[in-house]
Amino acid sequence: MHAIRVYQVGGPEVLRYESVERPSPGRGQALVRVEAAGINFIEVYQRTGRYKVALPFTPGSEAGGEVVEIGDGVSEVKVGDQVASQNLVGSYAEYALAAAERLVRLPAGVTPRAGAAVMLQGMTAHYLACSTFPLAAGHTCLVHAAAGGVGLLLCQIAKRRGARVIGTVSTGEKAALAREAGADEVILYMQEDFATETRRLTAGAGVQVVYDSVGRTTFAKSLDCLAPRGMMVLYGQSSGPVEPVDPQVLAQKGSLFLTRPTLAHYVATQTELLERASVVLGWVADGSLKVRIGHEFPLAAAAEAHTELEARRTAGKVLLIP
Ligand SMILES: NC(=O)c1ccc[n+]([C@@H]2O[C@H](COP(=O)([O-])OP(=O)(O)OC[C@H]3O[C@@H](n4cnc5c(N)ncnc54)[C@H](OP(=O)(O)O)[C@@H]3O)[C@@H](O)[C@H]2O)c1
């Protein structure tokens, strides 16, 4: 089979398309023929060495496809099932393995491609809006990178929970997408001071929660957007890591809460994974959550896909097609 291999950390060019041996499922595992692999920003951090991974490795964890082989002791799925998961090991490949208990069977009406596009980012948007800070009517939230993969899903889920949504994006084109996803207001944060704008849009009151995936360039000003006792949810760092924070700043800026959540802890058990996934996939199946697959690249063009993602030229989901 073909897969992307990384032998040294570096730029997109370290993503090499190669022939490798097809893996076999061990006890409790299932082998999935990948129909589409999801690209997520975490793979950029791993490729560049910002997040440490033992070399060599095949990147990727998210995909949708069909179960083609199961190991001993597997009862969760059977051969022929259409599944998706954010825990497939090395999903930038034609085939990938997962623990069977981490696979989710796709409901009728959700294709493996849509499954690949929504598992990781959809469940992330879900836990952010429903668990980390459960949004409700009367809340206003600020969503950075609102036209991104997580961003477009988060805008929609925040709206369905009744919140007012202020989004930030870099271009007019992305602003239109964020509005389509439900953002009530959109700030072009490369041109305008988003803290001043957020204060203006909330008549000085500030927002109850900031969902910040951008990190270095937005973190400090995001604190200035919060109402007293608001929550700063730092869940990514696409512009780079945030400087260390003095907890006293949280007191000075209004007895703020700060959390740095990650999906793994919000789908830690199989029960929580299946509950969260079934809500998100159910919304996709009934058409109430729109998944925007913005870009599809052949597996062999993984380097090009990373280049586009890092250059901020993508909106919505980026998929690799083996
Ligand atoms: N904690 C978790 O559980 C979790 C789960 C999933 C994802 N994440 C994180 O969430 C973030 C978004 O992930 P995603 O896969 O949906 O990516 P994405 O938002 O589709 O892509 C990144 C976006 O960030 C914005 N950005 C701002 N400054 C940037 C810079 N210097 N370089 C690159 N992009 C920049 C760009 O939007 P504009 O052009 O509009 O500025 C860009 O399109 C990532 O940081 C990811 O690691 C965290």
Side-chain angles (χ1 to χ4, degrees), residues 257-268:
F257 295 85
L258 168 63
T259 182
R260 176 49 175 102
T262 190
L263 175 63
H265 300 126
Y266 285 84
V267 289

Side-chain angles (χ1 to χ4, degrees), residues 45 121 124 127 149-150 170 174 189 213 235 238 261 263 312:
Y45 307 142
Q121 295 173 342
T124 298
Y127 86 71
V150 177
S170 62
K174 289 188 177 188
Y189 60 176
S213 65
Y235 72 98
S238 44
L263 175 63
R312 305 167 78 160

Side-chain angles (χ1 to χ4, degrees), residues 39-42 45 51 120-121 124 127 145-151 168-171 174 189-190 213-214 217 234-240 260-264 309-317:
I39 290 198
N40 291 285
F41 220 94
I42 190 167
Y45 307 142
Y51 290 179
L120 198 153
Q121 295 173 342
T124 298
Y127 86 71
V150 177
T168 64
V169 297
S170 62
T171 66
K174 289 188 177 188
Y189 60 176
M190 307 277 284
S213 65
V214 174
T217 57
L234 176 69
Y235 72 98
Q237 48 179 30
S238 44
S239 69
R260 176 49 175 102
T262 190
L263 175 63
L309 183 63
E310 284 178 276
R312 305 167 78 160
R313 287 194 290 263
T314 65
K317 187 67 188 178

Side-chain angles (χ1 to χ4, degrees), residues 117-138:
V118 82
M119 281 302 285
L120 198 153
Q121 295 173 342
M123 288 199 297
T124 298
H126 183 273
Y127 86 71
L128 292 170
C130 307
S131 303
T132 307
F133 186 98
L135 289 167

Side-chain angles (χ1 to χ4, degrees), residues 50-136:
R50 190 176 287 164
Y51 290 179
K52 299 280 172 250
V53 181
L55 295 166
F57 69 99
T58 295
S61 64
E62 184 183 45
E66 184 178 316
V67 175
V68 290
E69 217 181 315
I70 55 172
D72 289 342
V74 169
S75 57
E76 295 86 351
V77 291
K78 57 182 190 321
V79 170
D81 280 350
Q82 304 232 299
V83 294
S85 177
Q86 82 291 358
N87 288 130
L88 279 147
V89 181
S91 65
Y92 288 19
E94 286 172 334
Y95 295 85
L97 289 172
E101 63 175 19
R102 303 305 290 176
L103 293 176
V104 176
R105 271 180 292 157
L106 293 170
V110 181
T111 62
R113 234 169 240 230
V118 82
M119 281 302 285
L120 198 153
Q121 295 173 342
M123 288 199 297
T124 298
H126 183 273
Y127 86 71
L128 292 170
C130 307
S131 303
T132 307
F133 186 98
L135 289 167

